[in-house]
Amino acid sequence: MRKNERVFLGVTAVIMVAVCCVLGLRMLYHNDENVSGPLTPVPETKIPQEDPVTPKPKPAEKVYVNVFFIGQNANKEEIYRAVNREYDKDIDGSKIKFAIQALISGPTAYEKSKGVYSEIPAETHIIAINETSDKVIINLNSAFENGGGTDSLYKRLYQLIKTAKRNTDKPVYLYIEGNKADVIGGEGIMITQPLNDNSLDG
């Protein structure tokens, strides 16, 4: 092969290598542009929100009625002592009915141990308690007025009156065996009705 031909082939080979290098660089540059171009935003993953915590309803406050028994104060003097009885209107009906039932049932063993007692005879029971929109009638059996003497009769009547008036604003009437009580016991204690703090003053 002639010298000129060898030179031509050499130059041609160099040119081809150079062209390949240029094309390679352009392809590389083109790929870099694609890589470094704007990125497609990735959708945000929403974190599920927890259900709001429903506040627990507050427990209903306890309601009490006052029932009057007899006890002593710090000076050992007898007084009418109000004791609490827990009341549930959904179970126990009206306050006055619940209170009178608690009164007739008498003090608890614990209350008795503290010197609290009742002058209402143990044989007393409720025949009926009729409550209307304008009055309450408490109908007791005759055991309520039997025995104990005048002092005991006064005390049991005041227990009843104080308990009734503490637990209702309606007029309250006392009946014995279905009859309106105008006179109580063999001592003939006069009662004015409806019951109030002055019912026994006559």
Side-chain angles (χ1 to χ4, degrees):
M1 182 180 292
R2 295 178 183 179
K3 182 179 179 180
N4 290 339
E5 290 178 351
R6 287 200 299 272
V7 171
F8 175 76
L9 290 173
V11 171
T12 301
V14 170
I15 292 172
M16 290 180 68
V17 170
V19 169
C20 289
C21 288
V22 170
L23 289 174
L25 288 172
R26 290 194 62 180
M27 289 179 67
L28 180 62
Y29 176 75
H30 180 69
N31 289 337
D32 286 346
E33 282 186 335
N34 288 342
V35 171
S36 61
L39 297 176
T40 303
V42 178
E44 293 182 4
T45 302
K46 292 184 178 181
I47 301 175
Q49 297 294 319
E50 293 183 3
D51 292 334
V53 177
T54 304
K56 294 181 180 179
K58 292 182 179 180
E61 290 187 8
K62 292 183 178 181
V63 178
Y64 296 90
V65 300
N66 288 145
V67 179
F68 283 84
F69 297 118
I70 300 169
Q72 291 183 338
N73 61 16
N75 297 322
K76 304 297 182 181
E77 299 168 332
E78 281 200 336
I79 58 172
Y80 294 96
R81 172 156 292 174
V83 301
N84 290 332
R85 291 287 186 270
E86 187 176 343
Y87 163 74
D88 186 337
K89 67 179 180 180
D90 295 327
I91 299 175
D92 302 314
S94 71
K95 279 187 176 182
I96 180 64
K97 290 182 179 180
F98 174 74
I100 297 302
Q101 289 168 351
L103 174 67
I104 300 303
S105 296
T108 63
Y110 174 78
E111 290 162 352
K112 289 178 181 178
S113 72
K114 297 299 180 181
V116 174
Y117 72 97
S118 176
E119 283 290 350
I120 296 174
E123 298 79 15
T124 302
H125 68 261
I126 299 168
I127 297 174
I129 299 176
N130 298 315
E131 184 175 9
T132 63
S133 60
D134 60 348
K135 65 182 176 181
V136 178
I137 295 176
I138 300 170
N139 188 13
L140 303 178
N141 71 330
S142 60
F144 178 78
E145 60 179 341
N146 293 340
T150 303
D151 184 60
S152 176
L153 281 169
Y154 271 106
K155 287 178 180 178
R156 73 187 70 165
L157 284 165
Y158 274 122
Q159 283 182 248
L160 178 68
I161 291 168
K162 290 179 178 295
T163 300
K165 298 307 295 178
R166 179 63 62 89
N167 293 288
T168 185
D169 294 325
K170 299 174 184 178
V172 178
Y173 296 85
L174 173 63
Y175 280 54
I176 302 295
E177 299 287 351
N179 299 308
K180 186 178 177 182
D182 296 318
V183 179
I184 287 287
E187 289 79 4
I189 297 175
M190 304 291 294
I191 303 176
T192 58
Q193 301 215 49
L195 299 177
N196 58 70
D197 288 337
N198 300 317
S199 286
L200 305 181
D201 290 348

